[in-house]
Amino acid sequence: MNNEQIGNINLKKINTCDASKVATKDEEGNPISFIYDDIWDFQYSRKFSKSQESRAVSFENIPQEYKKEVQHVLALMLKKNPEMALETLKYERGNLVRIAKLLGSTEWEKLNNDGIFRKFKSHIKDKRFGISTVKGTLITVNQLFKFGLTNRLIKDLKVVSFKLACKSKTKKLQHIAIPEHMATRIFKAAESTVNEFYPYKKEISDAYARYYQTRKEFLEANPHLNSKSFWNEVGCNLPHSVGIDDFEVRSSSPHLDEIKTACLILILGYSGVRHGEGLSIGLDSYQTKEYNGFEVPYLIGFSTKKNEAGLPTQETWVTHPIVKKALDLLFTVTEFARDIYKEIYANDEVKLVIVMNGLLSTNIAKHKRNVLWNTNSFTNYLAKFLKKHSITATKQDVIEFDKLNPTREGLLKEGGYLPKLSSHDFRRTFAVFLMRNKLGSIMALKHQYKHLNVVMTQWYSNNSELVRALDLQIDGELQEMMNEANIMIMTEAAFEIFNSPTLSGGEGERIDRERSKPEYEGSIYISREELERQVRSGNLSVVEHPTGFCFNPSCDRICSSEISSVVCKHEAVTRDKALERVPKRQRLIQKFENLIQLGSSFSSIRNRIFIEIKAIEHVLQQHKIEFESFQEPVID
């Protein structure tokens, strides 16, 4: 056996645990949960962030025939690692149930039999699991070996996992970066929604408070009737003072979900926080500090990544002023739900802390245990939000999507919607566009906020002076995401340059001469993989400018003059960049002709414009783009 082996340890017979064995305790060591309870409650034995609603591990939905052995193994894991994260426990619970279902039993020692193990692997393959699911399942098989519950040890997990995983699911897909035009439309629609409902924020909450109070009184007076009867007889006719024509107050709360979606788009998209961190952001989280003569707006929240002591850490994200308005709207329209939940959970200290959050489930009629609006709800309503505002892809969006998301190339179609959109996609979009110096454009920043793009770039720079000046804690993972986004952007830009049919500019001409050598004929000059290696090692630096691409890592200028492509030895201009200059040339010609009408006093400006026109024509000529040469008219 190359990849699996039967160990030499003595297999221990599984003993049924004592039902009185304690699973969790409170701060004073008193039992809260026992090993075979349906719920293991950790709320008094762990430190949680205020927004972390799930503080227990449930076994209610596990098939009865597997339940006790799954709990037994998890108890062993918890004994070995008492600080094991709840999400890890839940993950291992899922893996153990999967193993039991594939094996048809929780008699783990059956895995020792080679024939049964072959069938076990065959069942995994038939299920067409992705690589991460397969690998996680097999890691848990090895955990059973470590606890002496089986002699089966899988040595080369990576190889075996790859063989058993569904091949179409083995390719790791990144979170998406939204194309610029689509991102701009999404943020614009979100801001428009916030502005539309903001003047009626108090009236909206009051209308829902009245609705649920009336519903409660109706159902108490008519115990034989249900919610549908309330809607048909009373609810559909309840008046409200919200001055929006189609606004409707009902249990499903479609308008409230639209408001929450819009607010969360702005909070996530204009700061880069994770969804879990967004849940820790309250009304007082938005703050400002003075830096170099202007106010820097930022959010303070708690990271979902805990420190070594297992405690949530406070982090800060520079953001946009519209987020303050979004937070105000979000908390005000959900005030009615907060009041109702306070009454329902008057004796539950944990829930009372959580309901102070703005992202509450507002369908009170259907709420069960969770009171927060979870990631699945947000993802579902995002899709509805895009459809309502008809945010579909243009041909240019498709091209940009494939460039920004190489692992998802071909998934976005012209006229179609984004293939997926989740809270984390806004985080990657934020990182990518900040690194492309285009965050300001997708935010549609007004003049007084133009400095924010610079501030945000400084904020996430290594050894940021701004971070030190404001004495705040940065999101290290997001900073790393910025670095990865920068590497991806540089690599894609370099690949586009090195494989452009024509090149101009000092560096462009050098590359063109090099790749024209006989040994490169009919092949890609430099592969994407090699370019990425050079970028990561620091041997290659590419920055996109308005006129082309700069290869000088020590240059701190943003070249916007058309002359730079002629005089700068570090610039490369692709054919696509050259084509972008065609309309610019026409505008310069029109400007030149308008200045002629104003007389000779503007001769120096005209001369400058004429030089820029000729510089563009030089670039167009190098790329064999047809144009009619502009001749300076003779002025009397």
Side-chain angles (χ1 to χ4, degrees):
M1 299 181 190
N2 293 326
N3 298 317
E4 305 101 22
Q5 69 178 34
I6 301 296
N8 295 320
I9 63 170
N10 294 320
L11 184 65
K12 302 171 185 175
K13 182 175 176 60
I14 300 175
N15 298 313
T16 303
C17 289
D18 183 351
S20 64
K21 185 175 180 180
V22 175
T24 64
K25 301 177 182 179
D26 63 18
E27 295 171 340
E28 297 177 356
N30 300 312
I32 300 176
S33 316
F34 296 91
I35 188 167
Y36 294 135
D37 286 354
D38 286 342
I39 303 286
W40 287 1
D41 188 350
F42 289 87
Q43 64 175 301
Y44 298 110
S45 58
R46 301 282 182 91
K47 296 289 186 180
F48 296 93
S49 65
K50 291 181 180 179
S51 62
Q52 192 168 342
E53 187 165 11
S54 178
R55 305 181 180 203
V57 177
S58 171
F59 301 95
E60 294 174 310
N61 297 322
I62 295 179
Q64 285 299 316
E65 63 268 31
Y66 304 146
K67 183 177 171 183
K68 285 191 175 181
E69 285 306 327
V70 168
Q71 289 175 305
H72 172 218
V73 177
L74 287 179
L76 293 175
M77 292 181 178
L78 200 56
K79 183 178 180 181
K80 182 181 178 182
N81 181 11
E83 296 302 318
M84 180 180 285
L86 262 61
E87 292 307 312
T88 305
L89 269 175
K90 292 174 184 177
Y91 176 73
E92 293 292 0
R93 176 193 61 190
N95 286 340
L96 288 166
V97 172
R98 187 179 302 112
I99 293 168
K101 287 181 177 179
L102 292 166
L103 193 60
S105 167
T106 53
E107 296 178 42
W108 315 116
E109 69 269 22
K110 285 186 176 183
L111 292 168
N112 300 340
N113 183 287
D114 289 342
I116 292 177
F117 188 64
R118 279 195 295 271
K119 286 183 180 179
F120 175 78
K121 291 191 293 183
S122 179
H123 290 329
I124 291 177
K125 203 162 189 176
D126 291 344
K127 291 293 184 181
R128 296 178 59 80
F129 292 131
I131 186 71
S132 60
T133 301
V134 174
K135 190 174 181 181
T137 302
L138 298 183
I139 287 173
T140 303
V141 169
N142 282 355
Q143 288 278 75
L144 295 174
F145 169 83
K146 290 178 182 178
F147 289 117
L149 303 178
T150 173
N151 285 342
R152 178 67 61 182
L153 176 65
I154 303 168
K155 293 173 67 178
D156 197 335
L157 279 166
K158 188 174 182 180
V159 173
V160 179
S161 299
F162 186 80
K163 286 180 179 178
L164 299 180
C166 174
K167 295 299 178 282
S168 65
K169 297 179 181 178
T170 55
K171 189 176 182 181
K172 186 176 180 181
L173 300 179
Q174 289 176 298
H175 289 287
I176 69 170
I178 309 168
E180 181 181 348
H181 177 62
M182 295 187 82
T184 303
R185 293 176 65 198
I186 291 170
F187 291 134
K188 186 176 180 181
E191 190 167 342
S192 176
T193 300
V194 168
N195 288 332
E196 179 185 11
F197 288 101
Y198 188 81
Y200 306 102
K201 57 184 180 176
K202 187 69 170 63
E203 289 83 352
I204 292 171
S205 183
D206 289 346
Y208 270 94
R210 190 180 310 111
Y211 174 90
Y212 276 108
Q213 181 60 35
T214 307
R215 176 181 175 274
K216 180 182 177 182
E217 292 169 357
F218 176 89
L219 295 178
E220 287 175 352
N222 303 279
H224 59 290
L225 297 178
N226 56 23
S227 295
K228 187 174 181 181
S229 300
F230 164 71
W231 172 253
N232 291 332
E233 295 182 27
V234 181
C236 63
N237 296 315
L238 281 177
H240 62 75
S241 56
V242 180
I244 296 173
D245 291 341
D246 63 343
F247 190 85
E248 187 178 56
V249 181
R250 58 188 308 157
S251 298
S252 57
S253 60
H255 282 105
L256 286 178
D257 287 321
E258 182 185 0
I259 291 169
K260 288 186 289 185
T261 301
C263 290
L264 201 50
I265 285 173
L266 295 176
I267 293 167
L268 300 179
Y270 285 178
S271 65
V273 301
R274 302 177 194 86
H275 183 274
E277 294 160 342
L279 295 179
S280 73
I281 290 171
L283 265 176
D284 58 351
S285 295
Y286 179 93
Q287 298 182 26
T288 61
K289 279 196 176 185
E290 189 82 11
Y291 177 74
N292 279 358
F294 51 75
E295 281 193 338
V296 178
Y298 61 92
L299 293 172
I300 294 179
F302 288 93
S303 171
T304 53
K305 307 291 184 182
K306 297 180 180 179
N307 62 19
E308 293 179 0
L311 299 173
T313 56
Q314 185 173 286
E315 287 183 344
T316 313
W317 302 269
V318 174
T319 191
H320 184 294
I322 187 64
V323 170
K324 181 180 182 181
K325 193 173 188 178
L327 283 170
D328 188 11
L329 174 63
L330 183 62
F331 274 79
T332 305
V333 298
T334 57
E335 190 60 42
F336 77 94
R338 197 167 292 105
D339 291 339
I340 293 173
Y341 286 135
K342 284 178 184 176
E343 186 177 334
I344 294 172
Y345 296 109
N347 299 317
D348 189 329
E349 292 180 10
V350 173
K351 282 287 193 290
L352 288 175
V353 172
I354 292 170
V355 299
M356 297 312 294
N357 191 278
L359 288 168
L360 297 175
S361 171
T362 47
N363 189 345
I364 312 290
K366 287 191 175 181
H367 125 274
K368 293 181 181 178
R369 181 182 301 157
N370 294 335
V371 301
L372 288 180
W373 207 52
N374 60 34
T375 51
N376 290 334
S377 299
F378 179 54
T379 299
N380 292 337
Y381 280 100
L382 271 174
K384 293 180 182 179
F385 190 85
L386 297 189
K387 287 180 180 178
K388 176 178 179 177
H389 295 280
S390 302
I391 301 174
T392 56
T394 63
K395 184 177 181 180
Q396 186 57 42
D397 290 330
V398 172
I399 294 170
E400 187 180 0
F401 179 90
D402 290 344
K403 184 177 177 181
L404 293 175
N405 307 285
T407 64
R408 296 181 184 272
E409 186 174 351
L411 294 184
L412 180 64
K413 308 296 182 185
E414 185 176 355
Y417 296 98
L418 288 165
K420 70 176 284 288
L421 189 58
S422 67
S423 57
H424 210 88
D425 295 322
F426 286 102
R427 185 169 166 87
R428 182 163 184 262
T429 299
F430 179 87
V432 167
F433 280 92
L434 190 59
M435 290 298 97
R436 293 175 77 195
N437 290 313
K438 290 190 175 182
L439 193 62
S441 59
I442 66 171
M443 282 183 169
L445 292 175
K446 296 178 182 177
H447 178 73
Q448 65 266 39
Y449 303 133
K450 289 294 184 183
H451 63 271
L452 279 180
N453 196 79
V454 176
V455 168
M456 287 177 175
T457 304
Q458 287 180 1
W459 183 254
Y460 291 105
S461 299
N462 290 325
N463 301 312
S464 170
E465 178 188 336
L466 177 59
V467 173
R468 293 195 299 273
L470 299 186
D471 191 26
L472 298 170
Q473 182 63 42
I474 198 169
D475 182 340
E477 185 183 277
L478 183 55
Q479 187 177 40
E480 182 57 35
M481 188 180 285
M482 302 282 184
N483 293 335
E484 283 299 311
N486 201 29
I487 289 169
M488 181 271 289
I489 291 163
M490 278 195 190
T491 301
E492 290 302 314
F495 188 75
E496 178 185 339
I497 294 162
F498 284 112
N499 294 285
S500 176
T502 54
L503 287 170
S504 62
E507 180 64 13
E509 291 174 11
R510 186 200 67 77
I511 294 170
D512 211 23
R513 287 192 300 271
E514 183 68 21
R515 69 183 184 178
S516 64
K517 292 178 180 178
E519 58 262 39
Y520 296 119
E521 187 176 355
S523 66
I524 292 177
Y525 172 48
I526 301 181
S527 69
R528 185 181 272 104
E529 291 73 18
E530 171 59 20
L531 289 169
E532 183 178 339
R533 188 190 67 76
Q534 289 192 30
V535 170
R536 288 188 181 279
S537 66
N539 293 327
L540 178 63
S541 172
V542 185
V543 177
E544 184 175 358
H545 286 173
T547 57
F549 298 89
C550 179
F551 279 74
N552 182 5
S554 61
C555 181
D556 58 0
R557 295 182 298 114
I558 300 294
C559 296
S560 57
S561 169
E562 303 303 332
I563 303 169
S564 64
S565 300
V566 179
V567 300
C568 180
K569 65 180 181 180
H570 299 293
E571 186 164 84
V573 181
T574 61
R575 182 176 176 81
D576 286 343
K577 277 289 185 182
L579 286 168
E580 288 177 11
R581 300 192 183 189
V582 174
K584 173 73 179 294
R585 173 177 170 273
Q586 289 303 120
R587 290 194 298 272
L588 287 173
I589 290 173
Q590 183 63 55
K591 190 173 182 180
F592 184 93
E593 291 174 345
N594 289 341
L595 287 172
I596 288 176
Q597 305 301 319
L598 297 176
S600 59
S601 58
F602 294 93
S603 59
S604 61
I605 299 176
R606 285 202 313 269
N607 289 338
R608 176 71 182 180
I609 293 173
F610 183 75
I611 291 171
E612 290 201 39
I613 292 170
K614 286 301 173 183
I616 293 176
E617 291 185 354
H618 177 75
V619 171
L620 298 180
Q621 189 174 24
Q622 287 184 298
H623 290 271
K624 298 180 173 59
I625 298 170
E626 291 186 5
F627 64 93
E628 186 176 338
S629 178
F630 178 71
Q631 301 300 321
E632 186 175 11
V634 177
I635 301 173
D636 296 332

